[in-house]
Amino acid sequence: MTALLFVFLFGPVIIDMLRLKQGKGQPIRDDGPQTHLAKRGTPTMGGLMILSGVVVATLLWANLANPYVWLVLGVTLSFGAIGFFDDYRKVTRRSVDGFSRKLRFGLELAIAALATYILMRLSTPALADVLTVPFFKNVILDLGPLFVLLGVLVIAGAGNAVNLTDGLDGLAIVPVMIAAATFGLIAYLSGNANFAKYLQIHFVPGAGELAIICGALIGAGLGFLWFNAPPAMIFMGDTGSLALGGALGTIAVAIKHEIVLAIVGGLFVLETLSVIIQVASFKMTGKRVFRMAPLHHHFEQKGWAEPTVVVRFWVISVVLALLGLATLKLR
């Protein structure tokens, strides 16, 4: 509620400030769906609204002595800073391309690697470098030092997956809120010894406090959706999408539910795979599998109205979240 009220109260001020500073708003790709050209002039960097609400609510209500809280906030704000700089370059240069993709990706990998290493140090020795497998409660894979690579893949991958999904008004923020609600519950259960024992999931001392951040993500997301609903008054931009994905990825690694994130965030996975498949197919065969990638643009090109694509993708996200929760009890 704190995050929600903060975004409601200060959102209009932030939108007016961004509209004034950006002038022509976010550049729209000429090779994208032609219907999107009508969105020219819409300001971007709306992620600043979300991040402000999340930070304020977390600082007010979370246990600030908990290292998991600071680590997740650190990754979230770091990814947000990368996205902000990318958005800034796009707006000031009036180009759909931000700064060097290699540099951007390198920074993401470095932050994710450092965060994973710290999480390994914070975790209990038995769980520090293992991958847990959902549905099979007693199956764990000891990865050793390779766990850092897994953490990097999950955190950086989640950030970029949400970024690719953020292409239609309201499309990305609702699945993020659904995933945050799911992982907020899982984090709370994982951080409680009694619940963890009953559900036969791994107990992660201190992880329950991450439910506060997940709650803040939901509240700030709801506030942002008020202004991002079609037709959007503001876009979240890379500032928001990279930060939100990085937050979800870090929480998943912290509570040892990396594979569950791939299930709950299955929509983000599908969007990312559609881009990979499209690029690989075109380079190898000269043919495209989809009419346009990411996946949501494919359905737009097939004639689906934008609200239809958005709502149906929301429905998919809810179904995937329920499947992710089912892993807590199914053996």
Side-chain angles (χ1 to χ4, degrees):
M1 288 301 297
T2 302
L4 174 65
L5 291 174
F6 183 91
V7 176
F8 271 163
L9 290 174
F10 295 99
V13 176
I14 296 174
I15 293 174
D16 290 342
M17 178 189 68
L18 291 174
R19 183 180 290 113
L20 179 64
K21 295 290 185 181
Q22 295 176 13
K24 297 181 180 180
Q26 176 174 301
I28 305 296
R29 301 187 71 95
D30 292 325
D31 57 351
Q34 294 303 299
T35 55
H36 289 206
L37 297 179
K39 300 182 181 184
R40 282 177 171 160
T42 305
T44 186
M45 298 184 188
L48 293 173
M49 298 164 56
I50 304 172
L51 295 180
S52 299
V54 169
V55 170
V56 169
T58 300
L59 293 180
L60 282 175
W61 301 112
N63 177 8
L64 300 184
N66 187 303
Y68 287 112
V69 170
W70 289 108
L71 182 63
V72 173
L73 274 183
V75 173
T76 303
L77 295 177
S78 297
F79 272 45
I82 294 172
F84 176 84
F85 184 63
D86 203 41
D87 286 334
Y88 178 80
R89 295 273 289 186
K90 291 175 182 176
V91 171
T92 55
R93 297 171 63 185
R94 303 308 308 161
S95 170
V96 294
D97 297 317
F99 70 105
S100 167
R101 293 183 180 181
K102 291 184 178 180
L103 175 58
R104 167 177 153 167
F105 196 53
L107 290 172
E108 293 171 11
L109 294 180
I111 294 168
L114 178 61
T116 304
Y117 174 75
I118 295 174
L119 286 172
M120 292 172 68
R121 297 296 300 269
L122 291 176
S123 182
T124 58
L127 296 177
D129 54 5
V130 301
L131 173 65
T132 60
V133 181
F135 297 111
F136 302 95
K137 302 301 177 69
N138 296 321
V139 177
I140 59 173
L141 303 177
D142 191 349
L143 300 181
L146 293 178
F147 185 80
V148 174
L149 295 179
L150 173 68
V152 168
L153 175 64
V154 172
I155 297 173
N160 286 278
V162 175
N163 182 237
L164 289 173
T165 306
D166 182 34
L168 301 177
D169 297 349
L171 176 60
I173 190 61
V174 171
V176 165
M177 289 189 292
I178 292 170
T182 305
F183 273 87
L185 176 60
I186 296 175
Y188 179 77
L189 296 173
S190 298
N192 186 293
N194 293 325
F195 287 136
K197 181 179 180 181
Y198 173 71
L199 293 170
Q200 297 182 30
I201 59 178
H202 298 284
F203 172 51
V204 183
E209 203 67 18
L210 294 177
I212 301 295
I213 296 181
C214 290
L217 287 172
I218 297 169
L222 282 172
F224 175 76
L225 181 61
W226 182 267
F227 304 103
N228 186 238
M233 298 170 61
I234 190 168
F235 300 140
M236 74 164 68
D238 293 359
T239 306
S241 57
L242 275 179
L244 296 176
L248 292 175
T250 308
I251 292 171
V253 175
I255 63 177
K256 313 306 297 181
H257 279 74
E258 299 89 352
I259 296 178
V260 174
L261 177 62
I263 299 173
V264 175
L267 178 64
F268 305 131
V269 175
L270 290 174
E271 294 272 28
T272 304
L273 287 177
S274 70
V275 174
I276 295 173
I277 292 170
Q278 185 85 323
V279 172
S281 176
F282 187 75
K283 286 186 175 181
M284 292 188 293
T285 67
K287 297 180 179 180
R288 293 179 171 86
V289 176
F290 305 99
R291 295 187 181 184
M292 187 177 289
L295 190 60
H296 54 265
H297 290 326
H298 170 77
F299 290 105
E300 278 192 292
Q301 296 298 94
K302 289 187 67 175
W304 290 20
E306 180 173 331
T308 302
V309 178
V310 171
V311 174
R312 287 179 177 174
F313 276 36
W314 290 353
V315 173
I316 293 172
S317 294
V318 172
V319 173
L320 292 172
L322 294 174
L323 180 59
L325 288 175
T327 65
L328 296 179
K329 190 58 181 171
L330 295 179
R331 292 173 174 82

